[in-house]
Short mmCIF file of all heavy atoms in Angstrom, two decimals:
data_model
loop_
_atom_site.label_atom_id
_atom_site.label_comp_id
_atom_site.label_asym_id
_atom_site.label_seq_id
_atom_site.Cartn_x
_atom_site.Cartn_y
_atom_site.Cartn_z
N LYS A 75 18.16 9.06 -29.37
CA LYS A 75 16.98 9.89 -29.15
C LYS A 75 15.77 9.35 -29.90
O LYS A 75 15.90 8.81 -31.00
CB LYS A 75 17.26 11.33 -29.59
CG LYS A 75 18.47 11.95 -28.91
CD LYS A 75 18.69 13.37 -29.39
CE LYS A 75 20.01 13.92 -28.87
NZ LYS A 75 20.13 13.88 -27.41
N PRO A 76 14.56 9.53 -29.33
CA PRO A 76 13.35 9.22 -30.08
C PRO A 76 13.16 10.24 -31.20
O PRO A 76 13.82 11.29 -31.22
CB PRO A 76 12.24 9.33 -29.02
CG PRO A 76 12.80 10.27 -28.00
CD PRO A 76 14.29 10.07 -27.99
N LEU A 77 12.26 9.94 -32.11
CA LEU A 77 12.05 10.81 -33.26
C LEU A 77 10.68 11.50 -33.15
O LEU A 77 9.64 10.85 -33.32
CB LEU A 77 12.12 10.00 -34.57
CG LEU A 77 13.46 9.33 -34.87
CD1 LEU A 77 13.35 8.46 -36.12
CD2 LEU A 77 14.56 10.37 -35.02
N PRO A 78 10.65 12.81 -32.87
CA PRO A 78 9.36 13.51 -32.85
C PRO A 78 8.72 13.51 -34.24
O PRO A 78 9.44 13.47 -35.25
CB PRO A 78 9.76 14.94 -32.43
CG PRO A 78 11.09 14.79 -31.77
CD PRO A 78 11.77 13.67 -32.50
N PRO A 79 7.39 13.54 -34.32
CA PRO A 79 6.47 13.56 -33.18
C PRO A 79 6.24 12.15 -32.63
O PRO A 79 6.18 11.18 -33.41
CB PRO A 79 5.19 14.12 -33.79
CG PRO A 79 5.23 13.68 -35.22
CD PRO A 79 6.68 13.70 -35.61
N PHE A 80 6.10 12.05 -31.31
CA PHE A 80 5.81 10.75 -30.71
C PHE A 80 5.03 10.96 -29.42
O PHE A 80 5.03 12.05 -28.84
CB PHE A 80 7.08 9.94 -30.45
CG PHE A 80 7.99 10.53 -29.39
CD1 PHE A 80 7.89 10.12 -28.06
CD2 PHE A 80 8.93 11.49 -29.73
CE1 PHE A 80 8.72 10.67 -27.09
CE2 PHE A 80 9.77 12.04 -28.76
CZ PHE A 80 9.66 11.63 -27.44
N VAL A 81 4.39 9.89 -28.97
CA VAL A 81 3.59 9.90 -27.74
C VAL A 81 4.37 9.14 -26.67
O VAL A 81 4.64 7.95 -26.84
CB VAL A 81 2.22 9.24 -27.96
CG1 VAL A 81 1.43 9.19 -26.65
CG2 VAL A 81 1.43 9.98 -29.03
N PRO A 82 4.79 9.79 -25.57
CA PRO A 82 5.48 9.07 -24.50
C PRO A 82 4.52 8.17 -23.71
O PRO A 82 3.33 8.07 -24.03
CB PRO A 82 6.02 10.20 -23.60
CG PRO A 82 5.83 11.47 -24.37
CD PRO A 82 4.67 11.21 -25.29
N GLY A 83 5.06 7.53 -22.68
CA GLY A 83 4.23 6.76 -21.76
C GLY A 83 4.47 5.26 -21.83
O GLY A 83 4.22 4.64 -22.87
N HIS A 84 4.97 4.68 -20.73
CA HIS A 84 5.23 3.24 -20.69
C HIS A 84 4.77 2.63 -19.37
O HIS A 84 5.30 1.63 -18.92
CB HIS A 84 6.73 2.96 -20.92
CG HIS A 84 7.62 3.68 -19.95
ND1 HIS A 84 8.04 4.96 -20.15
CD2 HIS A 84 8.14 3.29 -18.77
CE1 HIS A 84 8.79 5.33 -19.13
NE2 HIS A 84 8.86 4.33 -18.27
N GLU A 85 3.78 3.26 -18.76
CA GLU A 85 3.12 2.69 -17.58
C GLU A 85 1.62 2.67 -17.84
O GLU A 85 0.82 3.03 -16.99
CB GLU A 85 3.43 3.50 -16.32
CG GLU A 85 4.86 3.37 -15.83
CD GLU A 85 5.10 4.04 -14.48
OE1 GLU A 85 4.25 4.85 -14.03
OE2 GLU A 85 6.14 3.75 -13.86
N GLY A 86 1.25 2.23 -19.03
CA GLY A 86 -0.15 2.27 -19.44
C GLY A 86 -0.91 1.04 -19.00
O GLY A 86 -0.41 -0.08 -19.07
N VAL A 87 -2.14 1.26 -18.55
CA VAL A 87 -3.03 0.16 -18.14
C VAL A 87 -4.41 0.41 -18.74
O VAL A 87 -4.95 1.52 -18.63
CB VAL A 87 -3.13 0.07 -16.61
CG1 VAL A 87 -4.11 -1.04 -16.20
CG2 VAL A 87 -1.77 -0.19 -15.99
N GLY A 88 -4.95 -0.61 -19.38
CA GLY A 88 -6.27 -0.43 -19.97
C GLY A 88 -6.86 -1.73 -20.48
O GLY A 88 -6.34 -2.82 -20.20
N ILE A 89 -7.94 -1.60 -21.23
CA ILE A 89 -8.75 -2.72 -21.68
C ILE A 89 -8.53 -2.97 -23.16
O ILE A 89 -8.58 -2.03 -23.97
CB ILE A 89 -10.25 -2.46 -21.41
CG1 ILE A 89 -10.48 -2.08 -19.94
CG2 ILE A 89 -11.08 -3.68 -21.80
CD1 ILE A 89 -10.07 -3.15 -18.95
N ILE A 90 -8.32 -4.21 -23.53
CA ILE A 90 -8.17 -4.56 -24.95
C ILE A 90 -9.51 -4.43 -25.65
O ILE A 90 -10.50 -5.05 -25.25
CB ILE A 90 -7.63 -5.99 -25.11
CG1 ILE A 90 -6.19 -6.07 -24.57
CG2 ILE A 90 -7.66 -6.42 -26.58
CD1 ILE A 90 -5.60 -7.48 -24.61
N GLU A 91 -9.54 -3.60 -26.71
CA GLU A 91 -10.79 -3.38 -27.45
C GLU A 91 -10.76 -3.98 -28.84
O GLU A 91 -11.81 -4.14 -29.46
CB GLU A 91 -11.09 -1.88 -27.54
CG GLU A 91 -11.60 -1.30 -26.24
CD GLU A 91 -12.44 -0.05 -26.44
OE1 GLU A 91 -12.43 0.51 -27.57
OE2 GLU A 91 -13.11 0.37 -25.49
N GLU A 92 -9.58 -4.29 -29.35
CA GLU A 92 -9.51 -4.86 -30.70
C GLU A 92 -8.26 -5.72 -30.82
O GLU A 92 -7.21 -5.39 -30.27
CB GLU A 92 -9.48 -3.73 -31.74
CG GLU A 92 -9.61 -4.20 -33.18
CD GLU A 92 -9.67 -3.04 -34.17
OE1 GLU A 92 -9.91 -1.89 -33.75
OE2 GLU A 92 -9.43 -3.29 -35.38
N LEU A 93 -8.41 -6.85 -31.53
CA LEU A 93 -7.30 -7.76 -31.75
C LEU A 93 -6.83 -7.66 -33.20
O LEU A 93 -7.65 -7.67 -34.12
CB LEU A 93 -7.70 -9.20 -31.46
CG LEU A 93 -8.29 -9.51 -30.08
CD1 LEU A 93 -8.71 -10.97 -30.01
CD2 LEU A 93 -7.29 -9.19 -28.98
N GLY A 94 -5.52 -7.58 -33.40
CA GLY A 94 -4.98 -7.61 -34.75
C GLY A 94 -4.96 -9.04 -35.29
O GLY A 94 -5.19 -10.01 -34.55
N ASP A 95 -4.69 -9.15 -36.57
CA ASP A 95 -4.65 -10.48 -37.20
C ASP A 95 -3.63 -11.38 -36.50
O ASP A 95 -2.53 -10.96 -36.14
CB ASP A 95 -4.25 -10.34 -38.67
CG ASP A 95 -5.35 -9.72 -39.52
OD1 ASP A 95 -6.50 -9.66 -39.04
OD2 ASP A 95 -5.03 -9.27 -40.64
N GLY A 96 -4.04 -12.61 -36.28
CA GLY A 96 -3.15 -13.62 -35.73
C GLY A 96 -3.01 -13.63 -34.23
O GLY A 96 -2.28 -14.45 -33.68
N VAL A 97 -3.72 -12.74 -33.52
CA VAL A 97 -3.60 -12.70 -32.06
C VAL A 97 -4.52 -13.74 -31.44
O VAL A 97 -5.74 -13.69 -31.62
CB VAL A 97 -3.94 -11.30 -31.51
CG1 VAL A 97 -3.94 -11.31 -29.98
CG2 VAL A 97 -2.95 -10.27 -32.03
N THR A 98 -3.94 -14.67 -30.74
CA THR A 98 -4.72 -15.73 -30.07
C THR A 98 -4.45 -15.82 -28.58
O THR A 98 -5.17 -16.50 -27.86
CB THR A 98 -4.39 -17.10 -30.69
OG1 THR A 98 -2.99 -17.35 -30.55
CG2 THR A 98 -4.76 -17.14 -32.17
N THR A 99 -3.43 -15.11 -28.11
CA THR A 99 -3.04 -15.22 -26.70
C THR A 99 -3.71 -14.20 -25.80
O THR A 99 -3.63 -14.31 -24.57
CB THR A 99 -1.52 -15.07 -26.56
OG1 THR A 99 -1.12 -13.81 -27.11
CG2 THR A 99 -0.79 -16.20 -27.27
N ARG A 100 -4.35 -13.20 -26.35
CA ARG A 100 -5.04 -12.18 -25.57
C ARG A 100 -6.50 -12.17 -25.96
O ARG A 100 -6.89 -12.71 -27.00
CB ARG A 100 -4.43 -10.79 -25.81
CG ARG A 100 -2.94 -10.68 -25.45
CD ARG A 100 -2.72 -10.27 -24.00
NE ARG A 100 -3.13 -11.24 -23.03
CZ ARG A 100 -2.34 -12.21 -22.54
NH1 ARG A 100 -1.10 -12.34 -23.00
NH2 ARG A 100 -2.79 -13.05 -21.62
N ALA A 101 -7.35 -11.52 -25.14
CA ALA A 101 -8.79 -11.56 -25.37
C ALA A 101 -9.39 -10.17 -25.27
O ALA A 101 -8.90 -9.32 -24.52
CB ALA A 101 -9.45 -12.49 -24.35
N LEU A 102 -10.47 -9.96 -26.01
CA LEU A 102 -11.22 -8.72 -25.89
C LEU A 102 -11.72 -8.57 -24.46
O LEU A 102 -12.16 -9.53 -23.83
CB LEU A 102 -12.41 -8.71 -26.86
CG LEU A 102 -12.07 -8.70 -28.36
CD1 LEU A 102 -13.33 -8.83 -29.19
CD2 LEU A 102 -11.31 -7.42 -28.74
N GLY A 103 -11.63 -7.34 -23.94
CA GLY A 103 -12.09 -7.07 -22.58
C GLY A 103 -11.06 -7.35 -21.50
O GLY A 103 -11.30 -7.05 -20.32
N GLU A 104 -9.92 -7.91 -21.88
CA GLU A 104 -8.88 -8.22 -20.91
C GLU A 104 -8.14 -6.93 -20.51
O GLU A 104 -7.86 -6.08 -21.35
CB GLU A 104 -7.89 -9.21 -21.53
CG GLU A 104 -6.88 -9.78 -20.56
CD GLU A 104 -6.01 -10.85 -21.22
OE1 GLU A 104 -6.02 -10.95 -22.48
OE2 GLU A 104 -5.33 -11.58 -20.48
#
Side-chain angles (χ1 to χ4, degrees):
K75 304 180 188 304
L77 297 175
F80 67 94
V81 177
H84 56 274
E85 289 187 345
V87 177
I89 307 299
I90 294 177
E91 285 205 347
E92 188 176 344
L93 305 176
D95 289 344
V97 175
T98 59
T99 57
R100 301 270 67 90
L102 294 174
E104 189 175 15

